[in-house]
Amino acid sequence: MKTISKFLSVLVVLILFSSCNDDDDNNVTPQTNTIVDVALNNNLTELAAAVTRADLAGTLSSDGNFTVFAPTNDAFQELLDSNADWNTINDIPVETLRAVLLFHVLDSEVMSSELSDTYVNTLSTGPNNEAISLQVEVTGGVSFNGTATPLTTDVNASNGIVHVIDKVMLPPNVVTIALNNSGFTSLVAALTDSRHTTDFVSILNGDGPFTVFAPTNDAFQDLLDSNQNWNSLTDVPIATLDAVLKYHVVNGLNVQAKQLSNGNVPVIGGSITIDLTSGAQIKTSSNQTVNIIVSPATNDVQATNGVVHAIDTVLLP
């Protein structure tokens, strides 16, 4: 009888011990490897703090297939140093911080081997809630948004890919897009010509929204070739150049390619006609037929204050 009693006592102890272990197992937090975990595990503490302040930790820990361009701590320090009022991440207005961070996130996985010279849509939004474009360049070295370069690429997370970069990228306006794109150097030169009485840069740095039809460098070269006295933009009379540039900007509208329709569109310097019967084209009062260059790298380049479409000819009023 004593033997049976001892056996039952031991059995009860074993059952209780097993039950305690089960409870401990149920209370163990499962290991995760989300994008937020990757940031913490790679000493990207300022990024983690910024994500928390902007209330994006839940988003970047959720199921998904994100690509995140993750700035280093030094990159965030550079951002803080750029504004005398910012000593810590907590000094940056939440809405500003949120917009900046979302500009570093794509809603699909992009490995470094898949990068090309193009623009990609980020989770940050501009006018009409359109996705702001991030410029990617691989020719001559990889860079993002004109300045940021990768330090570490293809870090796997359970919900996406992380590329560590050396700068915090600020969402661009239409001026910044032109400045960062090597295909628009002639346009930038035309806009910044010191002979102007119109301050085009100040105008296009404004709230907008603007729709800008941006001639390529080749388009400006064709313009110069049309007059034997024009060897450079400085040879073009400033009144002519002023009138031409005003003919390329729609003020007050953010018109993406999907929103284009046949008919007249007012520009600052007059009116142009959109004609979609033979592709995306513009017809001018000087009887030109100009092509909007349709590709991810040339149209619907969305900025914070407008959208840019590349065109193959300078519009003449």
Side-chain angles (χ1 to χ4, degrees):
M1 195 71 176
K2 284 184 181 180
T3 302
I4 293 173
S5 177
K6 256 185 197 180
F7 173 75
L8 291 174
S9 297
V10 171
L11 185 61
V12 168
V13 169
L14 288 172
I15 290 171
L16 289 172
F17 181 75
S18 174
S19 175
C20 288
N21 281 346
D22 288 344
D23 288 343
D24 288 344
D25 289 342
N26 290 334
N27 290 330
V28 171
T29 302
Q31 290 290 326
T32 60
N33 188 42
T34 67
I35 286 165
V36 174
D37 295 318
V38 167
L40 290 170
N41 293 337
N42 286 273
N43 197 35
L44 301 174
T45 53
E46 290 298 290
L47 173 61
V51 165
T52 300
R53 174 165 168 74
D55 196 24
L56 291 174
T59 299
L60 296 179
S61 296
S62 65
D63 292 340
N65 294 297
F66 302 108
T67 297
V68 173
F69 300 97
T72 62
N73 291 345
D74 287 343
F76 272 102
Q77 188 58 54
E78 275 189 44
L79 176 66
L80 296 176
D81 291 343
S82 71
N83 189 312
D85 296 325
W86 296 349
N87 295 308
T88 71
I89 291 295
N90 291 331
D91 294 324
I92 303 175
V94 171
E95 285 307 309
T96 299
L97 189 60
R98 186 178 178 87
V100 168
L101 291 175
L102 289 174
F103 184 60
H104 291 70
V105 184
L106 314 182
D107 66 358
S108 60
E109 290 187 14
V110 181
M111 303 292 288
S112 60
S113 60
E114 299 172 309
L115 296 172
S116 62
D117 292 330
T118 191
Y119 289 89
V120 292
N121 289 337
T122 68
L123 296 190
S124 195
T125 57
N128 304 333
N129 288 320
E130 299 288 357
I132 294 179
S133 303
L134 169 63
Q135 184 184 16
V136 179
E137 291 181 290
V138 297
T139 302
V142 179
S143 67
F144 309 109
N145 205 39
T147 57
T149 57
L151 301 174
T152 305
T153 60
D154 300 333
V155 182
N156 284 300
S158 58
N159 59 343
I161 296 292
V162 176
H163 305 298
V164 181
I165 59 175
D166 65 351
K167 289 189 183 300
V168 176
M169 304 182 294
L170 302 180
N173 63 17
V174 293
V175 172
T176 310
I177 282 174
L179 287 170
N180 288 347
N181 192 315
S182 60
F184 293 140
T185 54
S186 294
L187 173 61
V188 170
L191 289 169
T192 57
D193 191 307
S194 61
R195 298 173 296 159
H196 280 304
T197 54
T198 302
D199 190 347
F200 286 103
V201 174
S202 291
I203 291 171
L204 294 174
N205 272 325
D207 293 336
F210 305 103
T211 300
V212 179
F213 296 103
T216 63
N217 291 342
D218 287 342
F220 271 101
Q221 187 58 53
D222 288 342
L223 174 66
L224 296 178
D225 292 343
S226 70
N227 189 312
Q228 62 181 0
N229 295 318
W230 295 349
N231 296 307
S232 70
L233 287 173
T234 56
D235 295 324
V236 181
I238 194 60
T240 301
L241 194 58
D242 187 279
V244 164
L245 291 174
K246 289 177 180 177
Y247 207 51
H248 291 75
V249 180
V250 180
N251 191 7
L253 294 172
N254 189 99
V255 184
Q256 291 214 331
K258 64 191 175 187
Q259 298 163 324
L260 291 171
S261 59
N262 292 322
N264 292 334
V265 175
V267 290
I268 293 176
S271 176
I272 58 176
T273 301
I274 301 297
D275 187 347
L276 305 178
T277 55
S278 299
Q281 294 181 323
I282 299 170
K283 296 193 174 178
T284 70
S285 56
S286 55
N287 296 319
Q288 291 174 295
T289 298
V290 175
N291 296 305
I292 298 173
I293 305 171
V294 179
S295 82
T298 54
N299 79 311
D300 287 345
V301 182
Q302 183 64 56
T304 57
N305 65 342
V307 63
V308 177
H309 304 283
I311 55 176
D312 66 355
T313 306
V314 177
L315 304 174
L316 302 177

